[in-house]
Amino acid sequence: MREQLERYLQLLLEANARFNLTAVRDPAEIRVRHFEDCLKLLGAADFAGRRVLDAGSGAGFPGLVLRIAEPSVRLTLLDATGKKVRFTQSVCGELGLTDVSCVHGRAEELGHDGTFRESFDVVTARGVAALPALCEICLPFLRTGGVFLAMKETAETYDGAERFGGTREEPYLYTLTDGRSHAVCRFRKTAPTPPQYPRAWGKIKKDSL
Ligand code: SAH
């Protein structure tokens, strides 16, 4: 795992020199604020053998780090930005992660596609949108019984998830070696998402439920 993460770090640094991929550019900071942060997610749910969708994965966080640490994870990375999807595809090629699926698309659209909807055991998201919007675009991907993990700076509460078939659970709290405390907001899928959700992005932005 260490070697794979170090190779991933190298590829991130190379790509960052060519185009703006991540805001954090210092290797020591990347190790803590990206790698350590994403590894902490392993304590928030059981990932072994799970079908995991990382929504808005950007340069691969947290999904790729999880897949490197827990090789039995069946991972799909989803992002709306083509250059980020091409980057994660090339990282998977370099690291020999041939079973990872890197998808270019928008969560609120793929959430209506039968190959994605109600199909995952775990959905993750870090730094993508506010919690109400995230619940609307992420909960539809889960099968009943699955769990949505939203990585946030603090333990935010949101009770509106019920309308998307989600039930709020206790947040998972952790501290990084740099002293920062973060939280994983957790929602269990307890009922199928009604067919009208997710709505179009414009509607979600204008009128979060
Ligand atoms: N999760 C990564 C990236 C966060 S930046 C990290 O923590 O570092 C947010 C990413 O979400 C961007 O790459 C953006 O393209 C993507 N994104 C935002 N809204 C999206 C949507 N509706 N569907 C898919 N991807 C989305």
Side-chain angles (χ1 to χ4, degrees):
M1 170 174 106
R2 282 288 144 220
E3 285 111 75
Q4 279 190 316
L5 285 180
E6 284 305 305
R7 180 76 188 115
Y8 184 12
L9 174 62
Q10 234 172 40
L11 296 168
L12 271 171
L13 295 172
E14 282 168 28
N16 261 337
R18 283 182 282 118
F19 59 92
N20 188 16
L21 195 58
T22 61
V24 182
R25 282 153 179 274
D26 172 57
E29 244 186 284
I30 290 177
R31 284 193 189 92
V32 176
R33 296 183 62 181
H34 290 322
F35 294 170
E36 188 193 11
D37 191 45
C38 296
L39 288 170
K40 292 285 188 186
L41 198 54
L42 291 167
D46 180 15
F47 284 92
R50 301 297 159 122
R51 293 164 300 178
V52 177
L53 176 83
D54 187 16
S57 52
F61 304 118
L64 263 187
V65 176
L66 292 171
R67 169 62 183 76
I68 290 168
E70 178 53 74
S72 69
V73 160
R74 293 145 69 191
L75 179 65
T76 300
L77 299 175
L78 167 63
D79 203 278
T81 306
K83 70 172 187 186
K84 296 190 177 177
V85 178
R86 286 191 290 281
F87 173 74
T88 52
Q89 273 165 341
S90 76
V91 174
C92 289
E94 290 273 338
L95 299 183
L97 309 175
T98 50
D99 60 325
V100 176
S101 167
C102 303
V103 178
H104 181 202
R106 296 205 56 93
E108 67 277 13
E109 290 168 11
L110 288 179
H112 287 286
D113 180 328
T115 56
F116 293 92
R117 192 176 179 92
E118 310 273 336
S119 302
F120 292 87
D121 305 305
V122 183
V123 175
T124 60
R126 189 184 78 161
V128 178
L131 201 49
L134 266 188
C135 282
E136 179 163 352
I137 65 175
C138 290
L139 283 165
F141 292 119
L142 287 172
R143 57 142 173 109
T144 300
V147 69
F148 169 45
L149 305 171
M151 301 177 74
K152 293 285 178 188
E153 305 269 297
T154 56
E156 300 172 25
T157 57
Y158 170 57
D159 289 318
E162 299 282 346
R163 66 166 60 72
F164 311 121
T167 303
R168 188 161 65 84
E169 294 193 337
E170 282 300 294
Y172 176 76
L173 307 173
Y174 61 89
T175 305
L176 298 173
T177 47
D178 66 5
R180 281 190 175 80
S181 293
H182 287 171
V184 181
C185 307
R186 294 191 282 199
F187 298 87
R188 183 70 53 184
K189 182 81 171 258
T190 46
T193 304
Q196 68 267 33
Y197 301 121
R199 296 166 299 157
W201 190 245
K203 286 221 173 92
I204 297 175
K205 287 293 268 187
K206 208 165 83 196
D207 172 31
S208 274
L209 297 177

